[in-house]
Amino acid sequence: MDPTRTGPIALAETRMRWLDARQRVLSQNVANADTPGYRPSDLRPFQETLGRVANSAAMRQTNPLHLAGAHGAGPQAQRERRPVERTIDGNGVALDREAMRIADTETAHQLAVGLHRRYVGLFRTALGRNQ
């Protein structure tokens, strides 16, 4: 049994992958802040992504070794339906809102990394490899 494929360690790794994808999407929004007509994107909430990954993996898995790698193609970005503000050229990127999202993503990433390290540390301690 591989403890990194289930439980808190796998959840922390899934969360870190989602946060990495979200950071890429948000950086695209900031990079296109001056592009006329650009509509910002964001990922679906992590809870929705996690539920979708769990359901699709449960339906397709016929052998425990089949899904040993990454699950699916990962989260996909979706355009915002109605940006809160638009400039005269139709751009919907608000840099202050994007900065807040980036800061929230960074904070969540630090939390996920910390939890992952603690759980791995618990396993190392249990195995007598606490160095």
Side-chain angles (χ1 to χ4, degrees):
M1 179 179 133
D2 185 1
T4 63
R5 298 285 176 217
T6 60
I9 294 175
L11 180 61
E13 289 175 355
T14 302
R15 176 77 168 162
M16 286 188 286
R17 280 192 298 274
W18 182 87
L19 291 165
D20 180 51
R22 185 173 194 221
Q23 199 76 327
R24 282 193 306 270
V25 168
L26 296 176
S27 67
Q28 285 294 327
N29 291 345
V30 172
N32 287 292
D34 293 329
T35 304
Y38 184 81
R39 288 181 20 205
S41 301
D42 200 356
L43 296 183
R44 292 178 184 259
F46 179 67
Q47 295 81 0
E48 288 180 25
T49 303
L50 185 60
R52 194 175 70 243
V53 167
N55 290 337
S56 66
M59 291 190 303
R60 286 188 269 155
Q61 186 175 11
T62 58
N63 183 323
L65 300 177
H66 286 174
L67 295 176
H71 297 289
Q76 295 185 358
Q78 59 185 14
R79 295 264 183 229
E80 289 184 7
R81 292 186 181 156
R82 286 181 251 146
V84 177
E85 15 181 284
R86 284 188 174 250
T87 59
I88 294 173
D89 64 2
N91 186 297
V93 177
L95 291 177
D96 56 341
R97 186 178 67 230
E98 296 304 317
M100 289 297 294
R101 288 178 179 175
I102 290 169
D104 290 343
T105 303
E106 177 62 26
T107 301
H109 188 268
Q110 289 174 355
L111 176 65
V113 168
L115 289 172
H116 186 272
R117 283 185 183 150
R118 288 186 188 266
Y119 281 113
V120 169
L122 288 172
F123 280 106
R124 292 178 64 100
T125 299
L127 295 172
R129 300 179 187 165
N130 195 18
Q131 295 177 337

